[in-house]
Amino acid sequence: MSLYDVPITSLKGFGKTRAELFSKLGIHSVGELLRFYPRTYSQWGEVTPISEISNGEKYLIKARVTSAVNTVRISGGRILSKVQVADDSGVIEIVFFNNKYISTMLKYSEEYYFYGKVNRDLYGFSMTSPEFKKESDMSSSITPIYNLTSGLTNRVVIGAQKQALSMLPETMVDPLPYDILKRYDLCTLRFALENIHFPCDESSLEKARKRLVFEEMLILNLGLRLLKNKKLTETSCKMHDDFTGDFIKTLPYTLTNAQKNAIVDCVNDMKNKKSPMNRLVQGDVGCGKTVVAAAVCFNAIKNGYQAAFMAPTEILAQQHYDNLSKMFEQFSIKVDLLVGSMTKSKKDKVREKLADGEIDLIIGTHTLITDDTKFKRLGCAITDEQHRFGVEQRSKLFKKGEQPHVMVLSATPIPRTLGLIIYGDLDITCINELPPGRKTVKTMLIDTKKRHRALSFIKNELDKGRQCYIVCPLVEEGELELESAQNYAAELMLDEFRDYPVGILHGKMKAKDKEQVMNEYTAGDILVLVSTTVIEVGVDVKNASVMMIENADRFGLSQLHQLRGRVGRGEHESYCILVSDNKGEDTQKRLSTMCRTNDGFEIADEDLRLRGPGDFFGNRQHGLPQLNIADFSDVNSLVKAQEAASYILEISPDLSKMEFKGLKAMIKLLFKSLDESTMN
Ligand code: ADP
Ligand code: MG
């Protein structure tokens, strides 16, 4: 039996409450617990005699408890516990807050290690809320530190991990075959798990990490390739003809060569390949991906199939619906919209028509992939702004048809090396050209001394009838986001922009409220939109001409480029104002890249060069399954894992060989969408 099938409640001391805390961390089984690796480690270092400690520093002391624990209630219902400890050189008071168990944990006259910050007050030295351990638990001085959730202490996780490790079976099946371990000089899974949680020493930790990173990369790589192969082996919806010419000639503009090439690539996939199309169309902001998608939908529909176009937000879905309805008006093509905020009866009606085959093209959000959405003959599924969707969601849409053709659109230029990994399961077409006459967005870098002038400039634009975006100072995600965005907006509303309608958009808002604000902005009822970085990708408000970004130095170049892409979408001269007081040489150099070029790929390469791939995507924007330990900055492991994956697939293309059984199970865990049929 796998430890993934052993519920966490089978650990000693695990009741419902504790299990619930762990489930908040995504841990339900003992197997998952073992794969919940420390976030970092704390090294307590050398023991310092109490007589040698001084104010304000962190120390490790080894001392005996020389008083009873004295617990009192203080203001606000808090609990304060004090206890005196001593070594041969001196005495110090230890203070704990809000831990009512201290008196049971620290025993009189026993010796402990305490690690914490030392303060000095009128009464002498004290150490506040130190970590502590008994001598017998100090065999290794490297303590794992786990990500926690409120109500859960590191100590509890450590205890749980110890129990879990003791449950590892005597003879353990290693998912990595012996051959691979040897080839890449990797330690066994048992060694890796034991040492990632409780490392004997630095070098064992390194060995453990190397193995687990490799394993994760390998599994990711194999999973993506199996997904790709799966699509290669299945037959597709046959599309014998190319009708795109009929559509293209009705457009009010000439397509760029890059757009034409993209359409040709897709039509070729649909017409000539035995397997369904599985293509990523990547192109910079504003290059005109939507019309390429429209041409592909058109072709599928004229070949007798239904098409689906999924966008990450309702605002974008609505925008596409408006555009494509117009484009298809003169053809007898039925276009409809399906989004979460529609009433149930309306949604039901649309779903009925979809299942009947009455609708040719459906545009929508995640609602398209819920179980109750059924198609009569889905032949083509397109997702827009792909990086917002995970591999899982993509594959869900895929499953709505009989192996429909799949196309994904992405505006995030990704350096090629990374693209191959991130989109390992897709063929790639690049639209490397903007429609003619597109004005580049004039970008300038200022410091806060010039902010006032920048705001006057913006007012001037507003008076000309334009609109603007202001991305407010970046704060850590979470509680503060709301407050700081609101404060910032309030200040602008009361001061500089008191005569203009200002709207605010931040991550904590409900989808419905966000949409409302976006709609008002699109309609021109709001002129200044103050936003955290949640400004929706792909949003197309042609009248917006200024994007001002506070604390620009805190953003990655690619993110700045995305934000800048919200302006310069219409006929108006547009501007991007980057505000930063960071005069560091690197920062200035980085930000000046933005002023120098509007080319997303150039910026992406520069970003990758400056920051390394780990930071490139920011918060898991790649839509891949969540990685536990590996990250994309480790190009070395990436390359090795890729090579190992090729080697393994050569031996056993579907991993059916006995020696890969463990690997296969791990892949299934990571990619829940890969079903039996793929790997048998
Ligand atoms: P993106 O690739 O960022 O999704 P869109 O598809 O939203 O870009 O296109 C941006 C704008 O460019 C749209 O208003 C669209 O009508 C226009 N457009 C697209 N292709 C062309 C073209 N070949 N010539 C002129 N305008 C175009
Ligand atoms: Mg777009």
Side-chain angles (χ1 to χ4, degrees), residues 629-661:
I629 189 165
D631 78 73
F632 295 108
S633 62
D634 189 355
V635 177
N636 216 350
S637 301
L638 266 174
V639 171
K640 280 197 183 133
Q642 191 126 351
E643 180 195 302
S646 304
Y647 172 73
I648 289 171
L649 289 178
E650 211 161 286
I651 300 173
S652 181
D654 54 359
L655 302 185
S656 57
K657 280 212 162 141
M658 202 47 210
E659 61 197 287
F660 301 126
K661 201 175 146 209

PDB file of all heavy atoms in Angstrom, residues 629-661:
ATOM      1  N   ILE A 629       9.621  21.508  -4.785  1.00  0.00           N
ATOM      2  CA  ILE A 629      11.006  21.800  -4.411  1.00  0.00           C
ATOM      3  C   ILE A 629      11.825  22.341  -5.570  1.00  0.00           C
ATOM      4  O   ILE A 629      12.667  23.202  -5.392  1.00  0.00           O
ATOM      5  CB  ILE A 629      11.674  20.532  -3.803  1.00  0.00           C
ATOM      6  CG1 ILE A 629      13.026  20.880  -3.205  1.00  0.00           C
ATOM      7  CG2 ILE A 629      11.787  19.414  -4.820  1.00  0.00           C
ATOM      8  CD1 ILE A 629      13.571  19.812  -2.292  1.00  0.00           C
ATOM      9  N   ALA A 630      11.538  21.881  -6.768  1.00  0.00           N
ATOM     10  CA  ALA A 630      12.321  22.338  -7.910  1.00  0.00           C
ATOM     11  C   ALA A 630      11.893  23.744  -8.292  1.00  0.00           C
ATOM     12  O   ALA A 630      10.790  24.155  -7.993  1.00  0.00           O
ATOM     13  CB  ALA A 630      12.090  21.397  -9.084  1.00  0.00           C
ATOM     14  N   ASP A 631      12.788  24.485  -8.914  1.00  0.00           N
ATOM     15  CA  ASP A 631      12.338  25.717  -9.532  1.00  0.00           C
ATOM     16  C   ASP A 631      13.065  25.894 -10.842  1.00  0.00           C
ATOM     17  O   ASP A 631      14.075  25.239 -11.106  1.00  0.00           O
ATOM     18  CB  ASP A 631      12.473  26.914  -8.589  1.00  0.00           C
ATOM     19  CG  ASP A 631      13.890  27.409  -8.498  1.00  0.00           C
ATOM     20  OD1 ASP A 631      14.354  28.019  -9.482  1.00  0.00           O
ATOM     21  OD2 ASP A 631      14.527  27.183  -7.465  1.00  0.00           O
ATOM     22  N   PHE A 632      12.528  26.768 -11.654  1.00  0.00           N
ATOM     23  CA  PHE A 632      13.021  26.839 -13.017  1.00  0.00           C
ATOM     24  C   PHE A 632      14.371  27.522 -13.141  1.00  0.00           C
ATOM     25  O   PHE A 632      14.921  27.632 -14.214  1.00  0.00           O
ATOM     26  CB  PHE A 632      11.985  27.532 -13.900  1.00  0.00           C
ATOM     27  CG  PHE A 632      10.729  26.739 -14.010  1.00  0.00           C
ATOM     28  CD1 PHE A 632       9.576  27.154 -13.386  1.00  0.00           C
ATOM     29  CD2 PHE A 632      10.715  25.560 -14.714  1.00  0.00           C
ATOM     30  CE1 PHE A 632       8.426  26.410 -13.471  1.00  0.00           C
ATOM     31  CE2 PHE A 632       9.569  24.801 -14.809  1.00  0.00           C
ATOM     32  CZ  PHE A 632       8.416  25.223 -14.176  1.00  0.00           C
ATOM     33  N   SER A 633      14.901  28.001 -12.022  1.00  0.00           N
ATOM     34  CA  SER A 633      16.196  28.660 -12.126  1.00  0.00           C
ATOM     35  C   SER A 633      17.315  27.626 -12.188  1.00  0.00           C
ATOM     36  O   SER A 633      18.433  27.929 -12.537  1.00  0.00           O
ATOM     37  CB  SER A 633      16.410  29.593 -10.942  1.00  0.00           C
ATOM     38  OG  SER A 633      16.414  28.831  -9.765  1.00  0.00           O
ATOM     39  N   ASP A 634      16.962  26.407 -11.871  1.00  0.00           N
ATOM     40  CA  ASP A 634      17.978  25.366 -11.855  1.00  0.00           C
ATOM     41  C   ASP A 634      18.092  24.728 -13.235  1.00  0.00           C
ATOM     42  O   ASP A 634      17.672  23.598 -13.451  1.00  0.00           O
ATOM     43  CB  ASP A 634      17.579  24.338 -10.795  1.00  0.00           C
ATOM     44  CG  ASP A 634      18.676  23.340 -10.546  1.00  0.00           C
ATOM     45  OD1 ASP A 634      19.693  23.392 -11.254  1.00  0.00           O
ATOM     46  OD2 ASP A 634      18.498  22.501  -9.650  1.00  0.00           O
ATOM     47  N   VAL A 635      18.640  25.488 -14.139  1.00  0.00           N
ATOM     48  CA  VAL A 635      18.678  25.049 -15.532  1.00  0.00           C
ATOM     49  C   VAL A 635      19.433  23.731 -15.673  1.00  0.00           C
ATOM     50  O   VAL A 635      19.080  22.869 -16.466  1.00  0.00           O
ATOM     51  CB  VAL A 635      19.311  26.137 -16.428  1.00  0.00           C
ATOM     52  CG1 VAL A 635      19.428  25.663 -17.864  1.00  0.00           C
ATOM     53  CG2 VAL A 635      18.480  27.401 -16.377  1.00  0.00           C
ATOM     54  N   ASN A 636      20.436  23.578 -14.841  1.00  0.00           N
ATOM     55  CA  ASN A 636      21.234  22.366 -14.859  1.00  0.00           C
ATOM     56  C   ASN A 636      20.391  21.107 -14.649  1.00  0.00           C
ATOM     57  O   ASN A 636      20.431  20.156 -15.431  1.00  0.00           O
ATOM     58  CB  ASN A 636      22.263  22.480 -13.743  1.00  0.00           C
ATOM     59  CG  ASN A 636      23.567  21.857 -14.145  1.00  0.00           C
ATOM     60  OD1 ASN A 636      23.630  21.189 -15.187  1.00  0.00           O
ATOM     61  ND2 ASN A 636      24.585  22.056 -13.340  1.00  0.00           N
ATOM     62  N   SER A 637      19.607  21.115 -13.592  1.00  0.00           N
ATOM     63  CA  SER A 637      18.744  19.964 -13.315  1.00  0.00           C
ATOM     64  C   SER A 637      17.689  19.796 -14.397  1.00  0.00           C
ATOM     65  O   SER A 637      17.316  18.680 -14.751  1.00  0.00           O
ATOM     66  CB  SER A 637      18.029  20.143 -11.975  1.00  0.00           C
ATOM     67  OG  SER A 637      18.958  20.292 -10.948  1.00  0.00           O
ATOM     68  N   LEU A 638      17.215  20.933 -14.894  1.00  0.00           N
ATOM     69  CA  LEU A 638      16.216  20.886 -15.951  1.00  0.00           C
ATOM     70  C   LEU A 638      16.730  20.114 -17.158  1.00  0.00           C
ATOM     71  O   LEU A 638      16.051  19.237 -17.683  1.00  0.00           O
ATOM     72  CB  LEU A 638      15.902  22.303 -16.414  1.00  0.00           C
ATOM     73  CG  LEU A 638      14.725  22.995 -15.763  1.00  0.00           C
ATOM     74  CD1 LEU A 638      14.645  24.440 -16.228  1.00  0.00           C
ATOM     75  CD2 LEU A 638      13.451  22.268 -16.111  1.00  0.00           C
ATOM     76  N   VAL A 639      17.932  20.460 -17.545  1.00  0.00           N
ATOM     77  CA  VAL A 639      18.512  19.828 -18.727  1.00  0.00           C
ATOM     78  C   VAL A 639      18.724  18.337 -18.478  1.00  0.00           C
ATOM     79  O   VAL A 639      18.387  17.495 -19.308  1.00  0.00           O
ATOM     80  CB  VAL A 639      19.839  20.520 -19.112  1.00  0.00           C
ATOM     81  CG1 VAL A 639      20.561  19.742 -20.183  1.00  0.00           C
ATOM     82  CG2 VAL A 639      19.552  21.943 -19.576  1.00  0.00           C
ATOM     83  N   LYS A 640      19.237  18.018 -17.296  1.00  0.00           N
ATOM     84  CA  LYS A 640      19.471  16.607 -16.969  1.00  0.00           C
ATOM     85  C   LYS A 640      18.165  15.827 -16.939  1.00  0.00           C
ATOM     86  O   LYS A 640      18.083  14.703 -17.423  1.00  0.00           O
ATOM     87  CB  LYS A 640      20.166  16.506 -15.615  1.00  0.00           C
ATOM     88  CG  LYS A 640      21.639  16.773 -15.720  1.00  0.00           C
ATOM     89  CD  LYS A 640      22.364  16.281 -14.485  1.00  0.00           C
ATOM     90  CE  LYS A 640      23.832  16.638 -14.589  1.00  0.00           C
ATOM     91  NZ  LYS A 640      24.335  17.245 -13.364  1.00  0.00           N
ATOM     92  N   ALA A 641      17.147  16.425 -16.346  1.00  0.00           N
ATOM     93  CA  ALA A 641      15.863  15.737 -16.248  1.00  0.00           C
ATOM     94  C   ALA A 641      15.274  15.507 -17.640  1.00  0.00           C
ATOM     95  O   ALA A 641      14.686  14.466 -17.925  1.00  0.00           O
ATOM     96  CB  ALA A 641      14.893  16.551 -15.385  1.00  0.00           C
ATOM     97  N   GLN A 642      15.447  16.511 -18.486  1.00  0.00           N
ATOM     98  CA  GLN A 642      14.953  16.397 -19.851  1.00  0.00           C
ATOM     99  C   GLN A 642      15.631  15.224 -20.556  1.00  0.00           C
ATOM    100  O   GLN A 642      14.994  14.422 -21.230  1.00  0.00           O
ATOM    101  CB  GLN A 642      15.287  17.697 -20.588  1.00  0.00           C
ATOM    102  CG  GLN A 642      14.619  17.836 -21.921  1.00  0.00           C
ATOM    103  CD  GLN A 642      13.858  19.153 -21.993  1.00  0.00           C
ATOM    104  OE1 GLN A 642      13.717  19.832 -20.991  1.00  0.00           O
ATOM    105  NE2 GLN A 642      13.371  19.508 -23.151  1.00  0.00           N
ATOM    106  N   GLU A 643      16.937  15.143 -20.352  1.00  0.00           N
ATOM    107  CA  GLU A 643      17.725  14.082 -20.969  1.00  0.00           C
ATOM    108  C   GLU A 643      17.289  12.716 -20.413  1.00  0.00           C
ATOM    109  O   GLU A 643      17.077  11.765 -21.158  1.00  0.00           O
ATOM    110  CB  GLU A 643      19.198  14.362 -20.658  1.00  0.00           C
ATOM    111  CG  GLU A 643      20.176  13.379 -21.219  1.00  0.00           C
ATOM    112  CD  GLU A 643      21.535  13.568 -20.528  1.00  0.00           C
ATOM    113  OE1 GLU A 643      22.074  14.699 -20.609  1.00  0.00           O
ATOM    114  OE2 GLU A 643      22.026  12.606 -19.905  1.00  0.00           O
ATOM    115  N   ALA A 644      17.092  12.662 -19.105  1.00  0.00           N
ATOM    116  CA  ALA A 644      16.671  11.401 -18.495  1.00  0.00           C
ATOM    117  C   ALA A 644      15.291  10.990 -19.004  1.00  0.00           C
ATOM    118  O   ALA A 644      15.028   9.808 -19.245  1.00  0.00           O
ATOM    119  CB  ALA A 644      16.656  11.540 -16.976  1.00  0.00           C
ATOM    120  N   ALA A 645      14.416  11.973 -19.181  1.00  0.00           N
ATOM    121  CA  ALA A 645      13.075  11.664 -19.673  1.00  0.00           C
ATOM    122  C   ALA A 645      13.152  11.043 -21.070  1.00  0.00           C
ATOM    123  O   ALA A 645      12.467  10.062 -21.370  1.00  0.00           O
ATOM    124  CB  ALA A 645      12.214  12.932 -19.686  1.00  0.00           C
ATOM    125  N   SER A 646      14.008  11.600 -21.912  1.00  0.00           N
ATOM    126  CA  SER A 646      14.161  11.046 -23.264  1.00  0.00           C
ATOM    127  C   SER A 646      14.653   9.606 -23.193  1.00  0.00           C
ATOM    128  O   SER A 646      14.149   8.723 -23.892  1.00  0.00           O
ATOM    129  CB  SER A 646      15.176  11.863 -24.072  1.00  0.00           C
ATOM    130  OG  SER A 646      14.803  13.197 -24.103  1.00  0.00           O
ATOM    131  N   TYR A 647      15.616   9.400 -22.329  1.00  0.00           N
ATOM    132  CA  TYR A 647      16.205   8.074 -22.161  1.00  0.00           C
ATOM    133  C   TYR A 647      15.131   7.071 -21.721  1.00  0.00           C
ATOM    134  O   TYR A 647      15.001   5.980 -22.278  1.00  0.00           O
ATOM    135  CB  TYR A 647      17.323   8.191 -21.130  1.00  0.00           C
ATOM    136  CG  TYR A 647      17.929   6.898 -20.667  1.00  0.00           C
ATOM    137  CD1 TYR A 647      18.771   6.167 -21.501  1.00  0.00           C
ATOM    138  CD2 TYR A 647      17.664   6.420 -19.387  1.00  0.00           C
ATOM    139  CE1 TYR A 647      19.336   4.982 -21.063  1.00  0.00           C
ATOM    140  CE2 TYR A 647      18.222   5.238 -18.941  1.00  0.00           C
ATOM    141  CZ  TYR A 647      19.059   4.516 -19.784  1.00  0.00           C
ATOM    142  OH  TYR A 647      19.611   3.361 -19.340  1.00  0.00           O
ATOM    143  N   ILE A 648      14.334   7.476 -20.760  1.00  0.00           N
ATOM    144  CA  ILE A 648      13.305   6.582 -20.231  1.00  0.00           C
ATOM    145  C   ILE A 648      12.231   6.277 -21.282  1.00  0.00           C
ATOM    146  O   ILE A 648      11.819   5.135 -21.482  1.00  0.00           O
ATOM    147  CB  ILE A 648      12.663   7.199 -18.969  1.00  0.00           C
ATOM    148  CG1 ILE A 648      13.672   7.155 -17.818  1.00  0.00           C
ATOM    149  CG2 ILE A 648      11.375   6.479 -18.590  1.00  0.00           C
ATOM    150  CD1 ILE A 648      13.244   7.916 -16.589  1.00  0.00           C
ATOM    151  N   LEU A 649      11.796   7.334 -21.987  1.00  0.00           N
ATOM    152  CA  LEU A 649      10.736   7.129 -22.979  1.00  0.00           C
ATOM    153  C   LEU A 649      11.231   6.274 -24.145  1.00  0.00           C
ATOM    154  O   LEU A 649      10.442   5.603 -24.806  1.00  0.00           O
ATOM    155  CB  LEU A 649      10.199   8.471 -23.478  1.00  0.00           C
ATOM    156  CG  LEU A 649       9.370   9.248 -22.447  1.00  0.00           C
ATOM    157  CD1 LEU A 649       8.913  10.588 -23.017  1.00  0.00           C
ATOM    158  CD2 LEU A 649       8.155   8.434 -21.995  1.00  0.00           C
ATOM    159  N   GLU A 650      12.528   6.303 -24.370  1.00  0.00           N
ATOM    160  CA  GLU A 650      13.071   5.469 -25.418  1.00  0.00           C
ATOM    161  C   GLU A 650      12.967   3.992 -25.020  1.00  0.00           C
ATOM    162  O   GLU A 650      12.606   3.146 -25.825  1.00  0.00           O
ATOM    163  CB  GLU A 650      14.533   5.837 -25.659  1.00  0.00           C
ATOM    164  CG  GLU A 650      14.964   5.634 -27.094  1.00  0.00           C
ATOM    165  CD  GLU A 650      16.223   6.439 -27.365  1.00  0.00           C
ATOM    166  OE1 GLU A 650      16.114   7.673 -27.473  1.00  0.00           O
ATOM    167  OE2 GLU A 650      17.295   5.808 -27.436  1.00  0.00           O
ATOM    168  N   ILE A 651      13.263   3.730 -23.766  1.00  0.00           N
ATOM    169  CA  ILE A 651      13.165   2.359 -23.267  1.00  0.00           C
ATOM    170  C   ILE A 651      11.714   1.906 -23.221  1.00  0.00           C
ATOM    171  O   ILE A 651      11.372   0.792 -23.588  1.00  0.00           O
ATOM    172  CB  ILE A 651      13.749   2.259 -21.836  1.00  0.00           C
ATOM    173  CG1 ILE A 651      15.216   2.666 -21.844  1.00  0.00           C
ATOM    174  CG2 ILE A 651      13.573   0.848 -21.285  1.00  0.00           C
ATOM    175  CD1 ILE A 651      15.810   2.749 -20.456  1.00  0.00           C
ATOM    176  N   SER A 652      10.849   2.812 -22.776  1.00  0.00           N
ATOM    177  CA  SER A 652       9.455   2.428 -22.587  1.00  0.00           C
ATOM    178  C   SER A 652       8.541   3.627 -22.843  1.00  0.00           C
ATOM    179  O   SER A 652       8.260   4.405 -21.944  1.00  0.00           O
ATOM    180  CB  SER A 652       9.279   1.920 -21.146  1.00  0.00           C
ATOM    181  OG  SER A 652       7.961   1.520 -20.939  1.00  0.00           O
ATOM    182  N   PRO A 653       8.093   3.775 -24.099  1.00  0.00           N
ATOM    183  CA  PRO A 653       7.362   4.985 -24.502  1.00  0.00           C
ATOM    184  C   PRO A 653       6.116   5.258 -23.658  1.00  0.00           C
ATOM    185  O   PRO A 653       5.715   6.399 -23.528  1.00  0.00           O
ATOM    186  CB  PRO A 653       6.962   4.695 -25.944  1.00  0.00           C
ATOM    187  CG  PRO A 653       7.898   3.642 -26.402  1.00  0.00           C
ATOM    188  CD  PRO A 653       8.266   2.830 -25.201  1.00  0.00           C
ATOM    189  N   ASP A 654       5.495   4.216 -23.124  1.00  0.00           N
ATOM    190  CA  ASP A 654       4.293   4.462 -22.323  1.00  0.00           C
ATOM    191  C   ASP A 654       4.542   4.112 -20.849  1.00  0.00           C
ATOM    192  O   ASP A 654       3.615   3.991 -20.066  1.00  0.00           O
ATOM    193  CB  ASP A 654       3.113   3.659 -22.868  1.00  0.00           C
ATOM    194  CG  ASP A 654       3.476   2.194 -22.970  1.00  0.00           C
ATOM    195  OD1 ASP A 654       4.640   1.840 -22.638  1.00  0.00           O
ATOM    196  OD2 ASP A 654       2.612   1.396 -23.374  1.00  0.00           O
ATOM    197  N   LEU A 655       5.804   3.944 -20.501  1.00  0.00           N
ATOM    198  CA  LEU A 655       6.193   3.621 -19.124  1.00  0.00           C
ATOM    199  C   LEU A 655       5.551   2.335 -18.616  1.00  0.00           C
ATOM    200  O   LEU A 655       5.260   2.210 -17.436  1.00  0.00           O
ATOM    201  CB  LEU A 655       5.840   4.770 -18.170  1.00  0.00           C
ATOM    202  CG  LEU A 655       6.440   6.139 -18.465  1.00  0.00           C
ATOM    203  CD1 LEU A 655       6.081   7.115 -17.359  1.00  0.00           C
ATOM    204  CD2 LEU A 655       7.950   6.054 -18.578  1.00  0.00           C
ATOM    205  N   SER A 656       5.298   1.426 -19.534  1.00  0.00           N
ATOM    206  CA  SER A 656       4.615   0.209 -19.104  1.00  0.00           C
ATOM    207  C   SER A 656       5.571  -0.781 -18.442  1.00  0.00           C
ATOM    208  O   SER A 656       5.138  -1.717 -17.782  1.00  0.00           O
ATOM    209  CB  SER A 656       3.924  -0.449 -20.302  1.00  0.00           C
ATOM    210  OG  SER A 656       4.890  -0.712 -21.294  1.00  0.00           O
ATOM    211  N   LYS A 657       6.868  -0.575 -18.624  1.00  0.00           N
ATOM    212  CA  LYS A 657       7.831  -1.498 -18.008  1.00  0.00           C
ATOM    213  C   LYS A 657       7.746  -1.438 -16.495  1.00  0.00           C
ATOM    214  O   LYS A 657       7.577  -0.379 -15.909  1.00  0.00           O
ATOM    215  CB  LYS A 657       9.257  -1.135 -18.451  1.00  0.00           C
ATOM    216  CG  LYS A 657       9.600  -1.649 -19.816  1.00  0.00           C
ATOM    217  CD  LYS A 657      11.085  -1.988 -19.870  1.00  0.00           C
ATOM    218  CE  LYS A 657      11.325  -2.887 -21.055  1.00  0.00           C
ATOM    219  NZ  LYS A 657      12.566  -2.569 -21.738  1.00  0.00           N
ATOM    220  N   MET A 658       7.878  -2.607 -15.892  1.00  0.00           N
ATOM    221  CA  MET A 658       7.786  -2.751 -14.443  1.00  0.00           C
ATOM    222  C   MET A 658       8.631  -1.727 -13.688  1.00  0.00           C
ATOM    223  O   MET A 658       8.197  -1.131 -12.710  1.00  0.00           O
ATOM    224  CB  MET A 658       8.252  -4.171 -14.105  1.00  0.00           C
ATOM    225  CG  MET A 658       7.757  -4.694 -12.783  1.00  0.00           C
ATOM    226  SD  MET A 658       6.009  -4.392 -12.564  1.00  0.00           S
ATOM    227  CE  MET A 658       5.984  -4.258 -10.788  1.00  0.00           C
ATOM    228  N   GLU A 659       9.858  -1.503 -14.170  1.00  0.00           N
ATOM    229  CA  GLU A 659      10.779  -0.638 -13.427  1.00  0.00           C
ATOM    230  C   GLU A 659      10.300   0.818 -13.350  1.00  0.00           C
ATOM    231  O   GLU A 659      10.800   1.594 -12.561  1.00  0.00           O
ATOM    232  CB  GLU A 659      12.164  -0.705 -14.076  1.00  0.00           C
ATOM    233  CG  GLU A 659      12.154  -0.226 -15.514  1.00  0.00           C
ATOM    234  CD  GLU A 659      13.388  -0.657 -16.301  1.00  0.00           C
ATOM    235  OE1 GLU A 659      14.471  -0.099 -16.062  1.00  0.00           O
ATOM    236  OE2 GLU A 659      13.230  -1.546 -17.163  1.00  0.00           O
ATOM    237  N   PHE A 660       9.334   1.183 -14.187  1.00  0.00           N
ATOM    238  CA  PHE A 660       8.845   2.557 -14.183  1.00  0.00           C
ATOM    239  C   PHE A 660       7.501   2.716 -13.477  1.00  0.00           C
ATOM    240  O   PHE A 660       6.860   3.748 -13.559  1.00  0.00           O
ATOM    241  CB  PHE A 660       8.754   3.099 -15.615  1.00  0.00           C
ATOM    242  CG  PHE A 660      10.070   3.074 -16.334  1.00  0.00           C
ATOM    243  CD1 PHE A 660      10.190   2.448 -17.571  1.00  0.00           C
ATOM    244  CD2 PHE A 660      11.200   3.664 -15.767  1.00  0.00           C
ATOM    245  CE1 PHE A 660      11.412   2.412 -18.233  1.00  0.00           C
ATOM    246  CE2 PHE A 660      12.420   3.631 -16.414  1.00  0.00           C
ATOM    247  CZ  PHE A 660      12.534   3.002 -17.654  1.00  0.00           C
ATOM    248  N   LYS A 661       7.103   1.648 -12.822  1.00  0.00           N
ATOM    249  CA  LYS A 661       5.795   1.669 -12.166  1.00  0.00           C
ATOM    250  C   LYS A 661       5.694   2.809 -11.145  1.00  0.00           C
ATOM    251  O   LYS A 661       4.703   3.540 -11.085  1.00  0.00           O
ATOM    252  CB  LYS A 661       5.584   0.328 -11.455  1.00  0.00           C
ATOM    253  CG  LYS A 661       4.139   0.034 -11.181  1.00  0.00           C
ATOM    254  CD  LYS A 661       3.981  -1.355 -10.585  1.00  0.00           C
ATOM    255  CE  LYS A 661       2.830  -1.325  -9.608  1.00  0.00           C
ATOM    256  NZ  LYS A 661       2.951  -2.282  -8.534  1.00  0.00           N
TER     257      LYS A 661
END
